[in-house]
Amino acid sequence: MNFDVDDAVTEFRAEVRAFLAQELSPELDEQVYRSGVSHDAAFVRRLAERGWVGPGWERGDDHHKLDPYEVHVLVEELTKAEAPIYAISTTEMVANVIRGVGSEALKAEILPRFLRGEVTIALGMTEPEVGSDVAGVRTRARRDGDRWIVDGQKMFTTNGHVTDYIFLLTRTRPDGPKHAGLTLFLVRLDQPGIEVQAVYTLSGERTNIVFLSEVVVEDRWRIGDVDAGWPALMIALQDEHSAPFSPHLARLIDAVEEWGRDTGRIDEPDVRERFGRWATTLEVARLLELRTTWMSANGQVPVAEGPMSKLFSTESLVHAAEDLTELVGPDALRSRLDPTALVAGRIEHALRFSLGTAIYAGTSEIQRNIIAQHGCGLPRK
Ligand SMILES: Cc1cc2nc3c(=O)[nH]c(=O)nc-3n(C[C@H](O)[C@H](O)[C@H](O)COP(=O)(O)OP(=O)(O)OC[C@H]3O[C@@H](n4cnc5c(N)ncnc54)[C@H](O)[C@@H]3O)c2cc1C
């Protein structure tokens, strides 16, 4: 067993940090915070110029493919810095599905543009009445010759107001088992019949509700076979369940350490006791994330290990944010919009931000169900 990363990965981490120091300007950071939109086309272009969009993909350009540990470090550093990568991350999830089950024409249309950072895709799974039980979606696609007519609503379509496409989960067979009548499409968001309305969330993140009314979608935009959307969707959900959340905990711990040093309270026993606790938790969260990377690198699918990692790191973040806010006291609650806020309001933001992490990408209850079934071998419920 070896817990070391090699020198090349350590050097690569320094390269990513140097990139962020140059490209993630205070103005861009402020724009992301104030707008609640984790996407910036110019920043994504900079990433693409380095070959860091789809970094682990085999590619036909001048960039070399990063190994899984370099990709791990890249995502960790970008996430910790709160770089605007959410839209390009959801785009990569969908690009993976297209690469797996899309037609050759769709691959040719989307994948090279994805690697150049020229295309963005929002996730359109959740609906106002359907979240965890995603196979229950009601958005309907009816066949009409070589095109489809789509009607319905999607909820929490994050970045849907700035992306080019929505990855749309639809019901194509209203009768029969619900998992067997689903079909996926890639749908342009700037076409007649689509209306995108803002939804603002507790953390300040902007997401959307998308209304679809008699939207015409040519059959060439279908992803995979008709009524075969469920297994294809699993490719995307598996990626989502393995997303790293420990960098958010690391950022919070750094902020509280900065507060401790600035105020001279870093040597107090209570402060040190809590740091010991959360540093240990952070280490476990990182190791669980590294394990999912190791499994993927070795051709294994982290069916239960991804959810274990997501569950542990997001619930730890929620508890750490509460505990460290209590430690710092009421001053921790002043927001970044107050120029004199402690550590630029990062503790207060972590407290609000943490709650959503235990909901999106599968709630904690759903992660526990997956672990019980696939990790412990309990019967499906
Ligand atoms: C900030 C934010 C951004 C999001 N972005 C996107 C996005 O871009 N695209 C997208 O498609 N979706 C997005 N979502 C939606 C997210 O995936 C759903 O909110 C999530 O899947 C939960 O669905 P729900 O809100 O309908 O809750 P429900 O599924 O109605 O769940 C309500 C409660 O019941 C529990 N529960 C449900 N089923 C079970 C069960 N079988 N066993 C035990 N407990 C259960 C849940 O854990 C939860 O506590 C986003 C959500 C948020 C908050």
Side-chain angles (χ1 to χ4, degrees):
M1 187 172 292
N2 182 1
F3 282 88
D4 285 336
V5 289
D6 61 29
D7 291 348
V9 175
T10 307
E11 278 168 29
F12 181 68
R13 190 185 290 281
E15 187 184 334
V16 178
R17 287 184 180 171
F19 169 85
L20 283 165
Q22 190 175 326
E23 301 296 344
L24 187 58
S25 64
E27 293 75 26
L28 178 54
D29 186 56
E30 187 70 9
Q31 171 198 309
V32 172
Y33 183 84
R34 287 196 179 253
S35 65
V37 178
S38 177
H39 175 63
D40 181 75
F43 184 83
V44 170
R45 270 200 305 279
R46 296 279 103 78
L47 283 174
E49 282 163 15
R50 299 251 180 167
W52 290 352
V53 172
W57 285 45
E58 290 294 349
R59 41 204 312 150
D61 57 20
D62 296 340
H63 301 292
H64 82 282
K65 168 187 162 177
L66 299 189
D67 76 35
Y69 299 98
E70 289 172 323
V71 175
H72 182 104
V73 160
L74 175 65
V75 176
E76 200 174 66
E77 291 296 325
L78 293 172
T79 306
K80 187 173 177 203
E82 295 191 290
I85 55 162
Y86 190 68
I88 203 64
S89 307
T90 55
T91 305
E92 180 165 1
M93 282 168 57
V94 180
N96 259 325
V97 180
I98 294 173
R99 185 168 63 164
V101 301
S103 68
E104 291 308 314
L106 198 55
K107 287 181 196 170
E109 168 96 31
I110 297 297
L111 301 187
R113 287 167 58 210
F114 157 64
L115 292 174
R116 292 197 299 268
E118 292 170 2
V119 66
T120 48
I121 309 169
L123 302 178
M125 282 99 76
T126 307
E127 298 184 355
E129 303 294 326
V130 178
S132 302
D133 183 20
V134 68
V137 295
R138 298 172 189 175
T139 292
R140 183 86 169 90
R142 286 174 286 117
R143 190 149 207 163
D144 178 27
D146 63 355
R147 53 186 212 159
W148 297 79
I149 311 297
V150 180
D151 288 283
Q153 294 174 21
K154 291 290 169 181
M155 183 62 183
F156 291 127
T157 315
T158 307
N159 288 321
H161 64 301
V162 291
T163 58
D164 304 303
Y165 298 94
I166 180 172
F167 174 67
L168 199 69
L169 182 66
T170 68
R171 179 155 306 286
T172 36
R173 185 143 54 90
D175 51 350
K178 64 182 176 183
H179 293 81
L182 302 168
T183 304
L184 288 163
F185 294 92
L186 194 63
V187 177
R188 277 209 74 89
L189 278 159
D190 61 354
Q191 59 176 307
I194 297 187
E195 193 188 327
V196 180
Q197 285 181 11
V199 173
Y200 289 97
T201 62
L202 177 66
S203 68
E205 180 185 15
R206 177 186 164 153
T207 179
N208 300 282
I209 182 163
V210 177
F211 298 94
L212 302 112
S213 173
E214 297 280 304
V215 176
V216 176
V217 182
E218 290 171 35
D219 189 53
R220 70 190 177 94
W221 294 107
R222 176 163 47 78
I223 306 175
D225 291 337
V226 175
D227 296 335
W230 185 251
L233 183 67
M234 287 306 110
I235 302 172
L237 295 188
Q238 185 61 54
D239 280 356
E240 207 178 26
H241 292 163
S242 299
F245 287 88
S246 77
H248 301 294
L249 180 57
R251 187 172 62 247
L252 169 64
I253 292 173
D254 283 357
V256 178
E257 185 179 340
E258 193 180 319
W259 159 83
R261 291 187 191 283
D262 287 352
T263 56
R265 291 188 55 190
I266 199 83
D267 288 330
E268 289 179 10
D270 187 26
V271 175
R272 300 178 79 81
E273 196 268 334
R274 296 196 207 208
F275 264 94
R277 186 190 317 157
W278 294 118
T280 306
T281 305
L282 174 61
E283 184 68 13
V284 176
R286 279 193 177 135
L287 289 173
L288 288 171
E289 285 164 8
L290 262 178
R291 179 166 65 152
T292 66
T293 297
W294 178 85
M295 288 181 76
S296 303
N298 285 283
Q300 300 173 30
V301 181
V303 178
E305 293 79 2
M308 283 178 186
S309 168
K310 199 256 172 188
L311 176 69
F312 184 81
S313 56
T314 57
E315 299 232 315
S316 298
L317 181 62
V318 172
H319 295 139
E322 285 172 1
D323 185 63
L324 294 171
T325 301
E326 183 200 76
L327 171 72
V328 174
D331 248 5
L333 296 176
R334 283 195 288 141
S335 100
R336 175 169 170 165
L337 301 176
D338 171 353
T340 62
L342 289 181
V343 286
R346 277 182 281 151
I347 303 169
E348 176 272 345
H349 184 255
L351 189 63
R352 288 185 287 119
F353 172 82
S354 64
L355 297 171
T357 65
I359 297 174
Y360 52 72
T363 67
S364 291
E365 289 76 17
I366 296 303
Q367 307 298 345
R368 284 193 196 94
N369 279 345
I370 298 171
I371 295 162
Q373 190 186 338
H374 296 283
C376 311
L378 301 191
R380 183 181 165 81
K381 181 173 170 292

